[in-house]
Amino acid sequence: MSTTSVTGSGRPGFVWAAPALAFFALFALLPMLAVVVLSFTAYDGLSAPRWTGLDNWVRLGSDPLFTESLQLSFVLTGVSWVVQTAVALPLGVWLAGRGRSRAVLAALFFVPLLMSSAAIAVLWGTLFDPNFGLASVLGPLVGIEDGNIIGSNRYAFAAVIAVIAWQYMPFHTLLYQAAARAIPAQLYEAALIDGAGRWRTFVSITVPQLRDTIITSGVLIVVGSMTTFEVVLILTGGGPGTASRILPLHMYLEGFRSFDMGYASALAVVLLVLGTTLSLVIARVTGYRRMTSQREGM
Amino acid sequence: MSTWSRVRRTVLAAALATGLAAVAACGGTAGPQAGGEAGQLTLWTLQNEGINSVQQAAVDRFNDTGGPQIDLTTYLNDPYKSALQTAIGSPNGPDVFYNWGGGNLKGYADAGQAADLTAALDARPEVKQAFLPQVLETGTIDGKVYGIPMQGVQPLSFFYNKDVFAQAGITEFPTTWQGFLDTVDRLEAAGVQPIALAGAQSWTEMMYPEYLLDRVGGSEKFQAIADGKPGAWRDPAVVQAMTMVQDLVDRGAFGTNFTAVDYDNQASQALLTSGRAAMELMGSWQVTSLNDNFPDFLEQGKLGWAPFPAVEGGAGDPSTVIGNPSNYYSVSARSADVPAATDFLLTQMTDPQYVQGMLEKGQVPALTGIEQQVASAGPFADFNTYTYDQTKNAATFVQSWDQALPAAEAQTMLTNLSKVFTKELTPQQFAEAMDSAGR
């Protein structure tokens, strides 16, 4: 048996990436470019786009709904990250272990993953119905006498965040479960011999070993939260008032209800830049870029 | 807009939005490849299982005369708006297209996409006189007819639960605002929520200020707003109407959790039919919808209906109704055969078979002199007669605000209005916010 290096002739060439790059250019880069161009126009989708220079961008500064929706999007992103990671990481590690009960629970727990966002929103909308839904029963128990949760300025946005967390937590749990199973058992055996307890093992072995997964999951949560949309649209429509109008919903309403595609394009560019910047920052701050794969390209 | 379209619109909006970048980039949505050829015309309309068959029958009758052939294509509500917006004027666009009249149609007329039908209609006075003038008005922009009424009239009325009224000792639906407020208080005292309001969607909330502004200030107040007159939103009548809305909220007329009640899942109708609420202000489609979802309620004869009360001392004519006068068919200005498309509308939309077909589906066409037919057709003859008489006798048929205003202004209005109902905005702040939103 000869030992051949993984570098050199065994590595896939550039041409292997060509199909993916072509699709990416056609369905991602080109539309992005067009959105940037459209953000400098007034366009109602009916007449031809009319060049208006920086008008849409100036309007961003004076649109109180833009500021409000941007803040809500940041809150949604931050809270989603904390809540989902805090639950998904330990749960994923626990589910990675052996045992029939864990397997059954894991199967049940992943059910939300199988449902479409629209179905989830309709389902929760029914549960949150203040007169005939679960909210009318549970509301009074927690001090919300009239069951008014998604219609209340105070609770609506929290309810939205909870539903989104319910929807995506299984996915992140799945990531952590897979990653935890890949941690070499010898590490735990060595820790056991050294007399480390469960907590110590978790903090000193499991979490550091899951580093890459924590970052990947974090980037997915950040980008996903910045662009989340359909659950909010169907569950609250951004209301009551503008209490849950996050940035992507604001963009949708401007583009498809107000037929102001130019301004909506400017909002889309903001989203694009924010999402990209945030994920790059996460990668840099955590040192993700410096990490090298042991089996590059194979 | 029908219940159906509201439901579908919510669910489909999600799918649509993901395509924002793609739609904005390409500026074109795939459509049928038929338009533009002489002898082959396309008609775009909304998907509605009930009346699509009536429309298809009209198309078949026209095609049988041997002239240009019309091909009917149906769309769901929201995809339709986007598809029409992008396809009209292109070779893939429709020759005849469905629309909502008013501000919606004005956009197409101003962009030069809708054909002026005035001369063709003037040449056939018997057809022109067949339409209810108040309804034809909404298809008329700046004195020129661009839209022909093609669907039933949809005025807004109060629908009430007769049992609940009787239990509270109320025998008649009030005809004055003071009487209405007394009724609200009595129902409240009887331990029932006076009004079911699906406030999760602000178009249901909009119905109250629509009527109140008209009753208080007269139809010219909203006309000024629709015409984009400077300062029209700041009119004292607007502020008074919004004050009356907040008075209703303060009285507990809508209960406390109306902002979480959804119309699309029939939650407000469930409140009405279960007797937990006494009444609901809604369009004439409410009867069809109740019949679909709560047939027992109708069979037991519990449903009552009544027009919006008059406001004492108000400048408005109490016979004025508000709602969707009708929906309209317009001819694309770039159609290869404008005369044939126009001919289809002028011969078929007033055809007795078309009228009969619509009536049987619970739609009352916007035509004069069809009392006999209205009173004898289908299971909803009583209600249809009420709808027809109310529309025919209306001093003015004011179009729903969200349809009459340009899309961007309508959207801002709905957002601000929802804040009036939650009392985040005072009536004065609402007027100022709408005034500064401008055009």
Side-chain angles (χ1 to χ4, degrees):
Chain A
M1 256 183 30
S2 65
T3 52
T4 48
S5 164
V6 283
T7 55
S9 60
R11 271 181 71 175
F14 173 75
V15 85
W16 290 46
L21 284 177
F23 273 104
F24 183 69
L26 190 62
F27 294 110
L29 287 182
L30 209 63
M32 279 188 222
L33 202 70
V35 166
V36 172
V37 173
L38 279 176
S39 73
F40 295 101
T41 64
Y43 181 43
D44 62 359
L46 197 62
S47 328
R50 186 166 44 82
W51 192 263
T52 53
L54 288 171
D55 278 9
N56 289 326
W57 291 95
V58 173
R59 196 178 141 194
L60 281 180
S62 62
D63 178 7
L65 279 178
F66 168 65
T67 327
E68 193 183 340
S69 59
L70 188 64
Q71 280 169 354
L72 286 178
S73 274
F74 276 126
V75 172
L76 175 75
T77 305
V79 176
S80 290
W81 190 49
V82 171
V83 170
Q84 294 188 33
T85 307
V87 176
L89 201 161
L91 191 62
V93 171
W94 182 72
L95 288 174
R98 290 176 205 285
R100 181 175 290 259
S101 60
R102 295 185 203 205
V104 172
L105 274 177
L108 281 177
F109 191 68
F110 292 138
V111 164
L113 264 185
L114 305 174
M115 297 168 68
S116 78
S117 292
I120 284 172
V122 170
L123 171 79
W124 280 94
T126 310
L127 291 175
F128 277 129
D129 185 299
N131 295 300
F132 303 98
L134 210 57
S136 65
V137 182
L138 297 182
L141 299 180
V142 295
I144 305 168
E145 290 301 328
D146 54 2
N148 190 11
I149 298 170
I150 50 169
S152 129
N153 285 326
R154 277 173 72 189
Y155 308 119
F157 194 50
V160 165
I161 293 178
V163 171
I164 291 172
W166 181 85
Q167 180 185 9
Y168 288 107
M169 248 185 288
F171 173 73
H172 296 280
T173 307
L174 197 62
L175 283 183
Y176 286 118
Q177 185 191 29
R181 281 186 176 155
I183 301 174
Q186 298 96 308
L187 293 178
Y188 291 104
E189 287 160 10
L192 198 65
I193 292 167
D194 289 343
R198 282 188 139 188
W199 175 249
R200 186 62 200 253
T201 315
F202 179 73
V203 172
S204 301
I205 297 175
T206 311
V207 172
Q209 288 287 321
L210 292 178
R211 211 177 100 129
D212 290 3
T213 312
I214 293 173
I215 296 164
T216 307
S217 159
V219 170
L220 287 174
I221 292 176
V222 165
V223 176
S225 301
M226 287 307 289
T227 55
T228 200
F229 165 74
E230 57 273 46
V231 168
V232 188
L233 174 77
I234 299 172
L235 202 56
T236 67
T242 50
S244 59
R245 191 188 281 206
I246 51 173
L247 192 53
L249 188 63
H250 187 44
M251 174 188 84
Y252 168 79
L253 293 174
E254 288 292 337
F256 286 96
R257 296 280 169 84
S258 298
F259 287 117
D260 197 344
M261 298 286 181
Y263 186 58
S265 297
L267 293 169
V269 173
V270 171
L271 269 175
L272 185 70
V273 171
L274 269 179
T276 314
T277 313
L278 279 174
S279 57
L280 285 177
V281 165
I282 293 175
R284 174 153 290 233
V285 166
T286 54
Y288 192 64
R289 271 157 46 95
R290 284 196 304 278
M291 282 184 288
T292 49
S293 167
Q294 283 128 15
R295 306 203 59 191
E296 185 187 358
M298 287 299 284
Chain B
M1 226 175 284
S2 71
T3 326
W4 268 115
S5 38
R6 301 271 187 203
V7 177
R8 287 183 174 129
R9 149 162 135 178
T10 315
V11 178
L12 278 154
L16 236 187
T18 44
L20 174 64
V23 172
C26 309
T29 314
Q33 301 283 323
E37 281 171 53
Q40 184 69 42
L41 303 174
T42 50
L43 181 150
W44 285 13
T45 191
L46 285 197
Q47 189 171 325
N48 180 324
E49 279 140 39
I51 63 173
N52 281 159
S53 59
V54 184
Q55 294 165 334
Q56 185 63 54
V59 165
D60 292 343
R61 275 195 298 278
F62 182 80
N63 288 349
D64 287 347
T65 59
Q69 299 291 297
I70 294 181
D71 184 38
L72 182 138
T73 309
T74 63
Y75 287 81
L76 294 175
N77 193 313
D78 255 9
Y80 175 73
K81 288 179 181 174
S82 304
L84 181 64
Q85 190 96 349
T86 43
I88 194 159
S90 81
N92 292 334
D95 296 281
V96 178
F97 62 96
Y98 176 102
N99 62 76
W100 287 263
N104 174 275
L105 178 57
K106 188 173 190 300
Y108 294 101
D110 287 351
Q113 304 287 9
D116 180 359
L117 309 176
T118 319
L121 201 55
D122 284 342
R124 303 183 62 169
E126 80 285 0
V127 175
K128 184 174 184 177
Q129 281 151 19
F131 293 109
L132 291 170
Q134 309 91 307
V135 177
L136 191 57
E137 184 61 32
T138 302
T140 307
I141 313 287
D142 299 331
K144 295 175 185 165
V145 179
Y146 289 99
I148 300 292
M150 46 65 71
Q151 208 159 316
V153 293
Q154 296 167 345
L156 307 177
S157 300
F158 271 112
F159 295 89
Y160 63 98
N161 187 325
K162 285 180 181 170
D163 279 5
V164 173
F165 266 59
Q167 278 155 25
I170 304 160
T171 47
E172 297 254 301
F173 198 89
T175 54
T176 65
W177 190 245
Q178 191 50 54
F180 184 78
L181 293 180
D182 290 344
T183 303
V184 164
D185 292 346
R186 283 176 73 176
L187 288 164
E188 174 95 39
V192 61
Q193 180 178 320
I195 306 174
L197 176 64
Q201 285 118 331
S202 35
W203 59 264
T204 61
E205 300 179 328
M206 174 183 74
M207 296 171 177
Y208 290 88
E210 278 176 350
Y211 261 123
L212 287 169
L213 175 63
D214 200 274
R215 294 287 190 265
V216 167
S219 303
E220 58 277 11
K221 297 294 182 191
F222 180 68
Q223 192 56 49
I225 290 170
D227 291 344
K229 296 232 170 74
W233 279 112
R234 278 178 182 272
D235 195 285
V238 172
V239 176
Q240 195 188 334
M242 294 300 160
T243 308
M244 292 165 86
V245 162
Q246 290 195 335
D247 176 43
L248 283 177
V249 174
D250 289 340
R251 280 170 190 265
F254 309 113
T256 55
N257 57 23
F258 63 87
T259 45
V261 178
D262 201 45
Y263 187 78
D264 294 345
N265 62 13
Q266 290 92 39
S268 59
Q269 293 180 348
L271 285 174
L272 177 72
T273 53
S274 68
R276 293 173 66 164
M279 56 181 137
E280 183 175 19
L281 182 57
M282 196 40 70
S284 59
W285 61 82
Q286 176 91 335
V287 173
T288 320
S289 179
L290 285 172
N291 186 48
D292 288 346
N293 300 304
F294 304 93
D296 291 352
F297 184 69
L298 294 189
E299 280 164 22
Q300 291 159 6
K302 290 182 185 173
L303 178 71
W305 51 78
F308 197 92
V311 171
E312 300 89 332
D317 187 326
S319 74
T320 294
V321 294
I322 297 184
N324 299 340
S326 183
N327 290 106
Y328 298 82
Y329 275 145
S330 296
V331 175
S332 168
R334 312 244 174 110
S335 165
D337 200 342
V338 173
T342 309
D343 193 44
F344 165 73
L345 295 183
L346 298 189
T347 54
Q348 297 302 321
M349 293 303 105
T350 52
D351 187 277
Q353 282 172 279
Y354 187 77
V355 174
Q356 187 66 22
M358 290 301 249
L359 282 170
E360 281 164 12
K361 302 293 180 186
Q363 298 263 345
V364 184
L367 300 173
T368 54
I370 54 170
E371 286 85 349
Q372 291 299 320
Q373 264 177 295
V374 174
S376 60
F380 309 122
D382 282 353
F383 180 71
N384 283 352
T385 302
Y386 160 81
T387 300
Y388 184 69
D389 288 346
Q390 205 194 7
T391 304
K392 192 184 60 175
N393 300 329
T396 315
F397 198 135
V398 177
Q399 192 183 23
S400 292
W401 291 1
D402 59 348
Q403 307 290 348
L405 296 174
E409 193 179 4
Q411 197 55 41
T412 310
M413 182 270 298
L414 288 172
T415 303
N416 285 329
L417 186 63
S418 67
K419 292 187 170 185
V420 169
F421 274 81
T422 57
K423 304 193 75 181
E424 284 174 80
L425 288 181
T426 65
Q428 195 64 42
Q429 283 168 333
F430 172 84
E432 280 159 21
M434 288 313 298
D435 191 53
S436 60
R439 294 275 168 110

